[in-house]
Amino acid sequence: MSAISLKGVELEYPNGTVGLRGVDLDVEDGEFVALVGPSGSGKTTLLRTIAGFLRPTAGTVRLGSQVVAGAGRSVPPEGRGLGMVFQQHAIWPHRSVGRNVSYPLEMAGVPRSDRSRKVADVLDMVGLSGYENRNPATLSGGQRQRVALARALASAPHALLLDEALSALDEPLRDRLRLELRTLTRAASLTVVHVTHDRAEALALADRVVVLDGGAIAQVGTPEELVSQPASTFVARFLSDANLVDGRVGDGCFDADEFPFRVDLTRLGPTTPGRGTLAVLPGDIDLTPATTDGAGIVMSSLFGRDSSDVIVTQHGKDFRCSVRGIRPAVGDRVSLAVRRALFYPAPSEVDGERPTDMSCADALKVSG
Ligand code: ADP
């Protein structure tokens, strides 16, 4: 049985805005799931629906075997046994760290002696052992966020819901807390749903990532699956900054509609002839120096630790390339070669429109 299970969840706000549409999602016990998507895609709405602050218009939400929303039932947030941490650490400034952390235990009527032991345990888990009597005002932002995390953990929640919980922190602290959070949740086998606008953070932390688009799930998968096999051009673009090119797959190659751009089909894997969109990930383009007219021109070139982020314009189209090794300079002429690409047939093609046959002479290269 899944720790969290949503079936056919729809949510419409009172003003008619659609927050969620047809969401089916199972989060397994001990799994760390990240929710990502552009601003307004429904991440917060989905998290708040699981938490119980929002009531779905249709569908059901289960926590373990218990239906907490749906079928005329709605269990309030405090009855769901979930821990929550928000971006703005909602800790009380006038209470000591210990009192902050023990508050949910006091509310649950846990005896004082048990409370202090549990508080000490969770403070130890978040690396704040012995901080019970500290005034929160004397703590750093990162330490206050650890207090919020300790409080969420104190009542041994069934699952932890994190709403941009690390986003207010500066690097490199954020990086460190990210690692610690993952180590801690793994050691405690905690089920976590983590909302973040940070794609790299989602891919780095999560067992599975859920990509939302317009309130619906665009794809769910492991970070590896989402990066190597994005289900749509939207996912390829959103997660990996894929370059999208409309065109047609013919006999042996893909040709762009609007400018000379040709990719051999051996670079595409199994595909069907017809119209569609090619997605080329920035790391799948090789740049080599060129002198010919019609070659690409480097428009920007930003240094990166692992690879440089280079924009090349060719025939009026910008290509984003991730370049390892020597970084090209702005103004350099380069030719582009596509190592691997993914082809997404247009919806009408999937229904069986007849493709046009084409021949492919100079494959692999983007024609100059
Ligand atoms: P995200 O967290 O991905 O940025 P949200 O879940 O906040 O997205 O929003 C999803 C959609 O619901 C957006 O169109 C947003 O404008 C809308 N929305 C969010 N909160 C409300 C609200 N209280 N009333 C009406 N519409 C809302």
Side-chain angles (χ1 to χ4, degrees):
M1 188 190 317
S2 306
I4 301 170
S5 174
L6 292 94
K7 289 271 172 296
V9 170
E10 311 269 340
L11 189 137
E12 191 179 311
Y13 283 102
N15 69 358
T17 307
V18 174
L20 298 174
R21 49 183 110 218
V23 172
D24 292 322
L25 177 66
D26 288 312
V27 180
E28 304 308 326
D29 240 342
E31 196 179 22
F32 195 119
V33 165
L35 306 182
V36 293
S39 179
S41 59
K43 304 181 291 292
T44 307
T45 304
L46 181 49
L47 198 75
R48 293 175 67 83
T49 302
I50 297 170
F53 297 114
L54 291 170
R55 225 178 145 156
T57 327
T60 53
V61 180
R62 278 194 178 77
L63 297 177
S65 59
Q66 193 193 11
V67 174
V68 292
R73 217 175 128 71
S74 182
V75 176
E78 60 276 16
R80 295 194 179 194
L82 300 169
M84 277 202 83
V85 183
F86 302 93
Q87 178 171 4
Q88 299 304 340
H89 29 74
I91 58 175
W92 293 287
H94 54 280
R95 286 192 182 150
S96 67
V97 166
R99 285 292 310 285
N100 261 285
V101 177
S102 76
Y103 181 75
L105 302 173
E106 289 172 36
M107 290 293 99
V110 175
R112 181 183 291 265
S113 55
D114 289 349
R115 287 203 307 258
S116 34
R117 188 176 39 80
K118 285 198 171 153
V119 168
D121 282 351
V122 287
L123 283 177
D124 186 40
M125 276 172 87
V126 301
L128 291 180
S129 203
Y131 276 61
E132 281 88 340
N133 297 321
R134 286 285 285 271
N135 173 349
T138 66
L139 302 180
S140 68
Q143 287 173 325
R144 280 201 287 269
Q145 204 59 339
R146 285 166 205 258
V147 174
L149 184 59
R151 190 174 57 198
L153 294 172
S155 44
H158 301 313
L160 198 55
L161 307 183
L162 308 175
D163 191 357
E164 300 279 9
L166 307 176
S167 304
L169 305 172
D170 293 332
E171 299 282 8
L173 173 66
R174 187 155 130 219
D175 230 11
R176 205 174 74 213
L177 205 54
R178 202 183 269 171
L179 275 175
E180 287 177 11
L181 176 70
R182 195 61 189 103
T183 309
L184 179 160
T185 56
R186 191 166 275 145
S189 298
L190 266 172
T191 307
V192 183
V193 181
H194 176 47
V195 163
T196 176
H197 68 273
D198 184 332
R199 303 169 300 176
E201 179 173 296
L203 293 171
L205 284 180
D207 295 316
R208 280 191 307 154
V209 176
V210 177
V211 184
L212 289 165
D213 178 22
I217 292 181
Q219 190 172 3
V220 185
T222 64
E224 293 81 1
E225 284 165 354
L226 293 186
V227 169
S228 64
Q229 292 300 325
S232 61
T233 52
F234 169 81
V235 175
R237 170 81 110 191
F238 177 74
L239 275 186
S240 307
D241 295 315
N243 300 286
L244 303 182
V245 182
D246 289 336
R248 174 178 287 277
V249 162
D251 187 17
C253 60
F254 167 90
D255 269 287
D257 285 338
E258 293 180 354
F259 49 94
F261 177 87
R262 177 165 274 190
V263 178
D264 184 271
L265 287 198
T266 57
R267 308 280 151 174
L268 265 53
T271 190
T272 45
R275 300 194 44 71
T277 303
L278 197 71
V280 188
L281 303 191
D284 289 333
I285 298 177
D286 289 325
L287 300 182
T288 45
T291 47
T292 52
D293 282 350
I297 295 180
V298 174
M299 303 305 283
S300 84
S301 180
L302 304 180
F303 176 78
R305 258 191 308 242
D306 302 318
S307 60
S308 301
D309 187 8
V310 176
I311 308 282
V312 175
T313 298
Q314 188 175 33
H315 303 299
K317 163 83 180 166
D318 284 349
F319 287 89
R320 188 162 193 170
C321 315
S322 176
V323 178
R324 289 171 185 276
I326 297 167
R327 176 163 59 123
V330 171
D332 279 359
R333 285 178 183 277
V334 289
S335 49
L336 295 83
V338 172
R339 222 177 309 120
R340 184 188 89 113
L342 297 156
F343 181 68
Y344 297 88
S348 60
E349 301 292 325
V350 178
D351 294 335
E353 189 185 304
R354 273 214 47 78
T356 312
D357 283 345
M358 300 184 75
S359 65
C360 179
D362 180 17
L364 313 192
K365 271 214 171 131
V366 178
S367 327

